[in-house]
Amino acid sequence: MARAQRDWTPEVFTTAAREAGFELDEAQRAAAARLLRLGAHTAGRRSRFRAKPTRGVYVWGPVGRGKSWLVDTFFDAVPVSRKRRVHFHEFFREFHARYAAHRHERRACDRAVRDLLGDYRLVCFDEFHVHDPGDATIMAKVVNSLFAQRITLVATSNYPPSGLLPNPIFHHLVEPLAATLESALDIVEVAGPQDYRRTHRPGTPAAEFERGRYLWPGTGSQLSDAGLVAPAAAERHRIVLGGRAVTARAVRGESVWFDFADLCDAPYSTIDYLTLADRFRTWTLTGLPPLATTNRDAAQRFANLVDVLYDRDRRLELIAAASPAETLTGDSLPLDIQRTASRLALLSVRAERYEPGTPVTATPDTFDTAFTRAAAPGDRSTAAPS
């Protein structure tokens, strides 16, 4: 759903919050104040080539605290013509493509950044993160190139710069990037008490993703009651992704059926999921197991897939073997399990034990069991080094 264009005034955030039916909490007010100062300074610059680089803002905190909303409101209203907001997954896909085009040239990274962002004065990255050790060094070069071109950066993240790439075995690889971010940006934490993704205001239209469902255990009668027709064997379809392919259980126009084993157990990347999300608007994923019973790479790919479908606003029908709490509980879960759970909580839950046709809206408790287990003192696999 398109956001309304707003005038740039000191009240832009409070007005937007009031129209959305809530009041800014203390952490949101502090972040809004810093973004207001940045907006006033950025809008007043006549030439980025004569001015010193503008100090940007890095907004981080737990899922659902309004980070993206704050930056969306800022981006929509700030009177800067050459600006771009992009989800980090999408930017990284574009960057890899441009980097490949320049890979035999000197300063290939700078050329790729200039191709993608060189015409912009302001860039906003949503959900900035680094989980792959190989990406840490690349991202340090990207960020340094961006600053060298005097582009103002605003980013949202679930992690502070020092918490990026939290695996202690590889964390040292991200330290140069973290140091650059901390020296060039104001680090603002937004960690209010309420998860706004769990609150849906009556009368507001749901996003397409929110129209999806979580069904378990996925019996034939349950699928039939939900209006889902399981694919026949003859419907299996190979979808080409660059130089390889993925097998779908069915392709029906803009709708696609996948099995977890085909899509997440195989080494497909977030870039592959983005390509598929661009093609298909309605997704059904069957065979979702409790994540603790699958390998960690497959579980992380599932989390990446949920990120992509949420950001692209694709409807997701998720067919699981167990309840949401059981699916997301266990050791060695994806690094962003809290964000995954927060997003899946937007789906309506239908379980076999309920009367057919009766949707059960997920509550925070439905998904939050995984949070406690993932953060238990005995499991340090995802903890950032002290």
Side-chain angles (χ1 to χ4, degrees), residues 10 153 273 287:
L153 174 64
Y273 298 152

Side-chain angles (χ1 to χ4, degrees), residues 42-353:
T42 304
R45 291 171 59 198
R46 296 192 177 185
S47 170
R48 76 171 187 223
F49 300 104
R50 297 179 182 177
K52 294 181 179 180
T54 299
R55 189 174 182 85
V57 182
Y58 184 102
V59 184
W60 75 279
V63 294
R65 267 54 181 185
K67 303 181 298 295
S68 293
W69 178 87
L70 285 162
V71 173
D72 286 347
T73 302
F74 164 79
F75 182 85
D76 289 343
V78 66
V80 175
S81 58
R82 289 181 293 156
K83 59 185 177 180
R84 185 184 182 194
R85 177 193 174 275
V86 60
H87 191 282
F88 187 68
H89 281 320
E90 178 67 22
F91 169 76
F92 222 45
R93 174 173 70 164
E94 295 176 358
F95 173 79
H96 278 295
R98 296 312 306 156
Y99 186 84
H102 293 296
R103 65 184 181 277
H104 298 306
E105 304 172 26
R106 294 186 60 187
R107 306 181 70 86
C109 179
D110 290 339
R111 291 176 182 271
V113 172
R114 190 174 299 111
D115 286 351
L116 295 173
L117 304 176
D119 291 334
Y120 298 102
R121 292 173 54 197
L122 171 67
V123 171
C124 298
F125 283 150
D126 196 25
E127 295 188 0
F128 188 97
H129 68 274
V130 180
H131 292 334
D132 188 325
D135 292 341
T137 301
I138 296 174
M139 279 313 302
K141 293 180 179 179
V142 168
V143 169
N144 282 326
S145 178
L146 188 147
F147 291 150
Q149 296 179 49
R150 301 190 180 220
I151 299 170
T152 300
L153 174 64
V154 175
T156 68
S157 180
N158 295 136
Y159 304 89
S162 61
L164 296 169
L165 192 59
N167 189 320
I169 298 175
F170 302 109
H171 182 72
H172 66 282
L173 298 174
V174 85
E175 289 176 349
L177 171 61
T180 298
L181 293 171
E182 289 172 344
S183 66
L185 305 177
D186 287 343
I187 313 302
V188 179
E189 183 179 9
V190 177
Q194 182 173 351
D195 183 345
Y196 290 91
R197 286 179 179 157
R198 303 279 171 81
T199 303
H200 185 76
R201 300 181 306 282
T204 60
E208 198 62 28
F209 184 88
E210 296 177 52
R211 299 180 189 277
R213 294 168 291 187
Y214 182 107
L215 283 71
W216 66 282
T219 62
S221 61
Q222 191 181 32
L223 295 183
S224 177
D225 181 63
L228 298 175
V229 179
E235 289 187 87
R236 289 182 70 82
H237 183 87
R238 285 174 59 81
I239 301 172
V240 176
L241 294 171
R244 54 182 176 165
V246 59
T247 299
R249 292 188 61 191
V251 171
R252 300 166 178 168
E254 293 188 333
S255 299
V256 65
W257 283 63
F258 283 111
D259 190 78
F260 178 89
D262 292 327
L263 193 60
C264 299
D265 255 339
Y268 295 108
S269 69
T270 301
I271 293 174
D272 295 326
Y273 298 152
L274 285 163
T275 301
L276 291 167
D278 286 344
R279 178 171 174 181
F280 301 106
R281 302 189 63 83
T282 301
W283 288 57
T284 302
L285 183 69
T286 61
L288 175 65
L291 294 184
T293 68
T294 189
N295 68 76
R296 187 166 185 169
D297 287 341
Q300 184 63 60
R301 291 187 198 105
F302 171 72
N304 294 342
L305 176 64
V306 172
D307 278 349
V308 167
L309 297 182
Y310 174 87
D311 186 64
R312 282 289 196 270
D313 196 23
R314 300 305 189 228
R315 179 165 177 164
L316 173 62
E317 305 284 2
L318 196 54
I319 317 301
S323 69
E326 292 174 276
T327 297
L328 301 180
T329 298
D331 296 334
S332 299
L333 295 170
L335 294 171
D336 290 324
I337 188 63
Q338 294 191 13
R339 186 169 72 221
T340 304
S342 177
R343 290 177 170 178
L344 293 182
L346 297 172
L347 307 180
S348 64
V349 178
R350 296 185 181 214
E352 188 74 358
R353 66 177 179 271

